[in-house]
């Protein structure tokens, strides 16, 4: 279903982060895929709202045509399943498990469960194509 060309452009992005201890944060911003070489540069920008403060947040990843996602320095992060589904990244001692849902394209979601000795949270993100009508 998904191929790299389908991601190009700007997406509205909403995210909720629920920590095991009950803390909740949210992120509101945009995700932008722009062509770079044979792949794409992913740029996420927005505001992270936590109970105690608000922060400007930005992150970048590199995507290739096979939907492999790498950190900006080129280290492999994870493989996006083209039909949706599960993927994982291990960063010992932590594990990052994700589920991609493309079933309502051009609205799609990810759900990350991050666990480890000092990490335990679920992060749900919703992407809506900037040109798509809002539900």
């Amino acid at each position: 279903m998904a191929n790299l060309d389908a991601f190009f452009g700007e997406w509205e992005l909403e995210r909720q982060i629920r920590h095991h201890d009950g803390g909740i944060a949210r992120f509101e911003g945009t995700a932008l895929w722009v062509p770079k070489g044979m792949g794409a540069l992913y740029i996420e920008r927005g505001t992270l709202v936590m109970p105690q403060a608000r922060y400007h947040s930005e992150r970048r990843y590199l995507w290739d045509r096979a939907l492999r996602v790498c950190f900006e320095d080129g280290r492999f992060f994870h493989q996006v399943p083209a039909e949706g589904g599960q993927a994982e990244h291990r960063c010992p001692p932590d594990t990052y498990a994700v589920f991609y849902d493309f079933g309502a394209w051009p609205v799609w979601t990810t759900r990350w469960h991050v666990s480890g000795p000092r990490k335990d949270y679920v992060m749900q993100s919703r992407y809506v194509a900037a040109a798509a009508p809002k539900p």
Side-chain angles (χ1 to χ4, degrees):
M1 166 163 164
N3 63 57
L4 184 61
D5 293 336
F7 292 95
F8 286 132
E10 186 172 69
W11 300 74
E12 295 174 17
L13 172 57
E14 297 174 354
R15 177 176 294 140
Q16 184 179 71
I17 306 161
R18 290 185 169 272
H19 291 269
H20 179 72
D21 67 5
I24 298 175
R26 73 179 199 283
F27 174 89
E28 296 174 354
T30 60
L32 179 66
W33 276 262
V34 294
K36 181 174 182 177
M38 295 300 294
L41 174 63
Y42 169 91
I43 306 166
E44 180 179 295
R45 291 186 181 119
T47 302
L48 178 64
V49 180
M50 302 176 73
Q52 66 276 20
R54 300 169 66 92
Y55 303 95
H56 173 75
S57 178
E58 182 173 318
R59 68 171 69 170
R60 294 169 180 245
Y61 295 103
L62 301 172
W63 286 47
D64 70 12
R65 290 267 164 209
L67 301 181
R68 285 185 299 261
V69 181
C70 293
F71 295 103
E72 199 171 14
D73 66 6
R75 290 176 298 127
F76 179 72
F77 182 28
H78 70 286
Q79 174 77 45
V80 175
E83 300 297 322
Q86 297 182 18
E88 187 174 88
H89 172 73
R90 292 192 182 270
C91 184
D94 303 314
T95 300
Y96 297 73
V98 63
F99 184 85
Y100 282 85
D101 183 352
F102 299 128
W105 192 269
V107 176
W108 57 282
T109 61
T110 62
R111 183 179 187 274
W112 287 90
H113 180 215
V114 180
S115 59
R118 295 184 314 252
K119 296 180 181 178
D120 191 1
Y121 63 89
V122 173
M123 182 170 66
Q124 294 183 287
S125 301
R126 182 174 185 263
Y127 297 79
V128 178
K134 290 188 180 182

